[in-house]
Amino acid sequence: QVQLVESGGGLVHPGGSLTLSCAASGFTLDYWTIGWFRQAPGKEREGVACIGSSIRNNDGRTYYVDSVKGRSTISRDNAKKMVYLQMSSLEPEDTGVYYCAVTYRGTAQDMCDATPTNQRFDYWGQGTEVTVSS
């Protein structure tokens, strides 16, 4: 059974840091492009950070949306079937439900730039909630 399970969310003060984790099971992670997405209250879901597959298409680059660039790092451990999103200097605008997703098509930028209508990725997790508030 294919599954993606996010963890690591919670309440964080502005300026704080956290690391989100996504555990994959039921498939081989190596060949998939992986992304973190978030949906803030009242807003559409948006891509945050994505990482390609160096094995499938020789393109393991990362891609970040402007709002998190410089203060976020996405990484993957294919052997452990884990994906991580480290975020620092958190802002109230980072509040939302964070989801991980995988796709067998496209690059990291393709994935992160997909509009909500085009976010038809192969698998999604259930999400983990992050609240940035004082």
Side-chain angles (χ1 to χ4, degrees), residues 12 15 21 38 50 56 58 62-63 65 70 78 82 87 104 112-113 122 129 133:
V12 185
S21 301
R38 70 183 174 196
C50 298
R56 187 182 87 245
N58 199 32
T62 56
Y63 179 81
V65 296
N78 291 331
M82 295 292 297
M87 301 184 70
Y104 210 72
C112 263
D113 281 348
D122 296 87
E129 189 164 4
S133 174

Side-chain angles (χ1 to χ4, degrees), residues 34-48:
I34 306 163
W36 283 97
F37 291 76
R38 70 183 174 196
Q39 187 162 20
K43 295 189 176 181
E44 293 184 325
R45 188 169 57 196
E46 61 173 351
V48 176

Side-chain angles (χ1 to χ4, degrees), residues 22-92:
C22 175
S25 60
F27 65 105
T28 302
L29 192 61
D30 311 40
Y31 299 94
W32 299 75
T33 301
I34 306 163
W36 283 97
F37 291 76
R38 70 183 174 196
Q39 187 162 20
K43 295 189 176 181
E44 293 184 325
R45 188 169 57 196
E46 61 173 351
V48 176
C50 298
I51 184 167
S53 168
S54 59
I55 295 176
R56 187 182 87 245
N57 57 0
N58 199 32
D59 185 357
R61 288 178 294 180
T62 56
Y63 179 81
Y64 301 91
V65 296
D66 288 345
S67 61
V68 304
K69 199 174 294 184
R71 58 189 186 92
S72 296
T73 301
I74 184 173
S75 60
R76 62 193 295 166
D77 185 332
N78 291 331
K80 295 183 178 179
K81 295 188 175 183
M82 295 292 297
V83 186
Y84 305 98
L85 180 65
Q86 297 172 281
M87 301 184 70
S88 61
S89 302
L90 285 163
E91 305 164 353

